[in-house]
Amino acid sequence: MRPTAIFPLLCTFVAFILSLLCIFAGSRRGYIEQGDILTLNTSMLGRVTLNTSKTSSSLLNSIGSSIKGEVNDLIADVARQFNIHDFYSAHLLDYCEGYYTPSAFANATVAPHKNVTRCSNHTAMFHFDPTSVIQKELKPGISLDDLHWPSAIKNAVHAVEIASKAMFVLYVVGVAATGLALLGAFLGVLSGGRLAALLNNILAFLAFMALGIASAIASAIMSKVVTEVNKHGTDVGVTAAKGRTFQGMTWTATVLMFITAIAWIYEFVAHRRQQTSYVSSIYAILLSQCYTVTPFTPPLIPSGLGPWVNSAPREPRKVAESLDHVGEDPTSSHNVTKSTTLSLPQLPSI
């Protein structure tokens, strides 16, 4: 059990949820609609056209003549006369369309909000092309040229087509790596080995790189398309806005995976230091056991031998003299050394 690994586990879990929401936001009607990449506001499209003096479409002229007198009061209904929705929101897998309620314009009391009426089918590596979408929805006999649709918008959208497909692939890789990192984080909490920390660090770094590049591409696409639409489409009543919620989710997931990678590096280094400290402690204990000096305890000596053991060592000559006087009368004044003659037994003669 490694309690300190709970922090990267929680970071990975939150990043995994956010990355999934980035992919599946708007996947069905009303499901996290605010998680769009960008939103195209076409509620004003056609208003400028109705004020022009010449148009190539007779149907457009008839529509213009019927509502031209009330254009200031029915601005929100102009686009609907052409079967155009108020907004088109682009997501990673599809796009959604609908109308603003209660009105496309904000007032002092009520702010407009999206009312999604339809979402397209899910498509891998989906690329949102508003020009073709709106052209298909227009009434027969009306084209985008009649509405003075800027060609710069079409060019800007086509310029980011490859980038949007690469973004989808990177998000898939990022979600997969984050999911594996989440599974590895569970194992890392239960096991305290350095190998688990190293593998989790690799997975977290891979997820961070994939999500980071995908987030950068998404931000670049937003900036490119939104800038071109607002620059060239404002005159015909078309504006665009970045998906702030999507940006917040994708960059939060990226930062969390970066923090997770750093946390697993810390776990790897901390476990190595702990292991080194443990080995050093064992080595010190072994050394202390090998080189411990046991205090000397003198043997127990009988009381009668105490003076002999504790006395200073004698010189060899004095010891010999003491042995020669063994058996003599201590009161005798003779100090002659006795010699002992050993008599051998007589061998019988043959």
Side-chain angles (χ1 to χ4, degrees):
M1 183 72 178
R2 188 190 306 198
T4 54
I6 296 178
F7 174 72
L9 171 63
L10 294 177
C11 292
T12 306
F13 177 75
V14 176
F16 181 67
I17 297 299
L18 291 176
S19 58
L20 283 178
L21 292 179
C22 289
I23 292 180
F24 293 103
S27 57
R28 63 177 183 270
R29 179 180 172 184
Y31 180 70
I32 317 180
E33 175 57 33
Q34 64 273 21
D36 59 307
I37 299 176
L38 60 89
T39 297
L40 204 66
N41 186 343
T42 56
S43 60
M44 300 284 289
L45 182 62
R47 186 191 66 171
V48 177
T49 304
L50 292 175
N51 292 329
T52 59
S53 57
K54 295 182 179 180
T55 180
S56 60
S57 174
S58 59
L59 179 60
L60 190 60
N61 285 328
S62 63
I63 295 175
S65 60
S66 63
I67 66 173
K68 190 173 183 180
E70 301 177 355
V71 68
N72 292 329
D73 298 328
L74 301 174
I75 289 177
D77 294 333
V78 174
R80 300 184 188 184
Q81 295 291 328
F82 304 121
N83 287 348
I84 299 175
H85 291 80
D86 287 347
F87 68 87
Y88 298 86
S89 55
H91 299 276
L92 206 60
L93 294 175
D94 60 357
Y95 75 91
C96 295
E97 59 188 16
Y99 300 99
Y100 290 110
T101 56
S103 172
F105 305 95
N107 52 49
T109 58
V110 180
H113 65 275
K114 294 178 179 179
N115 179 25
V116 179
T117 58
R118 189 185 74 89
C119 292
S120 64
N121 296 327
H122 301 169
T123 305
M125 292 187 289
F126 170 74
H127 174 63
F128 177 59
D129 185 2
T131 302
S132 61
V133 170
I134 296 176
Q135 180 63 57
K136 291 178 182 179
E137 293 185 349
L138 287 174
K139 283 185 175 181
I142 302 177
S143 66
L144 286 177
D145 293 334
D146 297 330
L147 300 178
H148 303 285
W149 184 264
S151 60
I153 296 179
K154 182 178 180 179
N155 296 333
V157 171
H158 279 250
V160 298
E161 181 176 0
I162 297 177
S164 62
K165 294 181 180 180
M167 176 183 65
F168 173 80
V169 174
L170 288 170
Y171 270 114
V172 172
V173 173
V175 170
T178 305
L180 292 176
L182 181 61
L183 179 61
F186 276 111
L187 299 177
V189 172
L190 299 178
S191 63
R194 293 173 57 194
L195 181 59
L198 179 61
L199 292 178
N200 284 327
N201 174 258
I202 295 175
L203 290 174
F205 186 76
L206 176 61
F208 161 69
M209 291 297 296
L211 292 177
I213 297 175
S215 301
I217 293 176
S219 298
I221 291 175
M222 291 181 192
S223 299
K224 174 69 175 178
V225 175
V226 169
T227 300
E228 292 297 322
V229 170
N230 291 335
K231 180 179 179 181
H232 301 282
T234 304
D235 294 338
V236 296
V238 180
T239 59
K242 299 178 181 179
R244 301 297 181 184
T245 303
F246 181 87
Q247 279 188 315
M249 291 191 302
T250 186
W251 283 113
T252 301
T254 302
V255 171
L256 285 175
M257 291 313 300
F258 176 75
I259 295 175
T260 301
I262 298 299
W264 283 120
I265 292 176
Y266 169 78
E267 291 293 330
F268 179 81
V269 175
H271 181 77
R272 181 178 181 180
R273 289 179 179 177
Q274 181 181 2
Q275 188 177 23
T276 304
S277 177
Y278 179 73
V279 172
S280 300
S281 300
I282 294 178
Y283 184 69
I285 292 173
L286 293 176
L287 287 179
S288 63
Q289 292 294 328
C290 294
Y291 292 98
T292 299
V293 179
T294 305
F296 175 75
T297 302
L300 199 56
I301 302 173
S303 59
L305 298 178
W308 293 89
V309 174
N310 294 329
S311 60
R314 300 186 179 187
E315 297 179 3
R317 184 177 59 82
K318 294 184 179 180
V319 174
E321 291 178 354
S322 298
L323 292 176
D324 290 338
H325 290 291
V326 173
E328 291 186 356
D329 186 3
T331 59
S332 174
S333 57
H334 301 284
N335 196 16
V336 181
T337 302
K338 290 186 177 181
S339 61
T340 304
T341 304
L342 296 178
S343 58
L344 296 176
Q346 296 290 332
L347 294 177
S349 57
I350 300 177

